[in-house]
Amino acid sequence: RADVAAETCRRYQGHPDAPLTPLGHKQATETGKFLRVLRAELLRLEEENGRKFDEVVVKVSPFIRCMATCARICQELGVTQVRIDYNFCELMYPHQYPHNPLPDLELKKKDSRALNNKYEL
């Protein structure tokens, strides 16, 4: 989270929709690579046991840092569809958010192309 990481916290402090840090992007990519190996094992077990999942559903919080994390993981997994779910969000503690941050999310302000360009989704 850029609002708490040492190198970017001043820039994003108090921002309700702070982006992912460069380290966060790297960690998300590494997580995707790890999950890709795990997925290969799951596919092997499905075939071995004669069971198969009908579909893989990926849901993500509407916060930009969550969507960036999800994008990196999905890219590694080859997943092309994601559902944004407004029920997946942080607890809205009054000491952290003086007002509801959901109306101020980047997702509400920019179209998908602009979000992709700015945040590398």
Side-chain angles (χ1 to χ4, degrees):
R1 289 179 58 150
D3 58 335
V4 294
E7 67 274 11
T8 55
C9 70
R10 286 188 178 195
R11 182 172 167 200
Y12 290 103
Q13 190 171 21
H15 193 286
D17 197 16
L20 200 58
T21 63
L23 175 61
H25 283 283
K26 182 179 182 212
Q27 290 171 331
T29 299
E30 293 303 314
T31 299
K33 289 176 182 177
F34 172 78
L35 291 174
R36 184 175 57 213
V37 171
L38 203 61
R39 182 179 184 203
E41 178 64 12
L42 179 62
L43 291 172
R44 185 190 67 73
L45 289 172
E46 283 180 347
E47 189 173 313
E48 187 177 287
N49 294 312
R51 296 181 179 179
K52 184 147 178 71
F53 288 104
D54 293 330
E55 67 179 319
V56 174
V57 177
V58 178
K59 292 184 178 183
V60 66
S61 165
F63 286 85
I64 199 72
R65 65 186 168 276
C66 300
M67 291 191 299
T69 300
C70 183
R72 293 289 180 285
I73 292 170
C74 287
Q75 184 176 18
E76 291 297 325
L77 292 174
V79 174
T80 58
Q81 292 187 0
V82 175
R83 297 178 190 167
I84 297 171
D85 189 334
Y86 283 85
N87 291 315
F88 290 161
C89 60
E90 300 165 347
L91 296 173
M92 304 301 177
Y93 290 123
H95 67 274
Q96 185 171 359
Y97 296 107
H99 67 282
N100 180 357
L102 295 179
D104 297 325
L105 296 179
E106 292 291 302
L107 181 63
K108 297 284 190 177
K109 297 177 182 178
K110 295 179 172 59
D111 66 28
S112 60
R113 181 172 288 161
L115 288 172
N116 289 341
N117 290 337
K118 185 171 181 178
Y119 298 107
E120 303 174 44
L121 302 180

